[in-house]
Amino acid sequence: QVQLVESGGGLVQPGGSLRLSCAASGFTFSSYAMNWVRQAPGKGFEWVSTINSNGIHTTYAGSVKGRFTISRDNAKNTLYLQMNSLKPEDTAVYYCAKGGGSSYWYEYDYWGQGTQVTVSS
């Protein structure tokens, strides 16, 4: 019954911005840490960011630190990823995932279907 549905991906030029959303249902969203993970073409999964259950603590991969911001609205059961100053290297499928608050993506128990982000001129 757990569902995670990403949206907001698309094609943007280098230097542009996108905001991804993840709508969650089927569990007590406010009780769990949430995460973003991405997979670039031909590459493995890369952890991007984690946010704790009440949104107070956030962590980021070094490659996105200072450019991306993770947030959540527990009243709306929604997770967000604001992406600024996008680079071609950010091109990937982005997944939201329910987890325990670490960067070990293989420990996350539920994943969304993903949304494509393409950064190109």
Side-chain angles (χ1 to χ4, degrees):
Q1 190 164 331
V2 171
Q3 291 188 353
L4 299 170
V5 181
E6 300 94 336
S7 62
L11 173 64
V12 297
Q13 294 188 341
S17 298
L18 281 175
R19 188 180 76 158
L20 307 184
S21 298
C22 173
S25 61
F27 65 101
T28 305
F29 180 74
S30 61
S31 295
Y32 293 90
M34 294 294 295
N35 314 272
W36 288 99
V37 180
R38 68 185 182 184
Q39 186 174 37
K43 304 293 185 179
F45 292 108
E46 178 188 19
W47 169 79
V48 174
S49 185
T50 293
I51 188 167
N52 79 327
S53 59
N54 65 10
I56 296 300
H57 182 65
T58 60
T59 53
Y60 300 90
S63 57
V64 307
K65 178 70 174 175
R67 299 188 297 120
F68 291 11
T69 303
I70 190 171
S71 62
R72 66 194 296 162
D73 186 338
N74 285 346
K76 297 183 181 295
N77 285 2
T78 303
L79 175 73
Y80 303 98
L81 185 68
Q82 178 67 47
M83 305 185 295
N84 298 327
S85 301
L86 283 162
K87 305 175 180 179
E89 309 94 271
D90 296 317
T91 295
V93 176
Y94 284 72
Y95 300 89
C96 65
K98 172 178 174 287
S102 79
S103 64
Y104 300 122
W105 56 264
Y106 47 83
E107 296 184 348
Y108 303 157
D109 55 359
Y110 292 96
W111 294 58
Q113 298 282 68
T115 186
Q116 176 70 50
V117 172
T118 302
V119 185
S120 177
S121 59

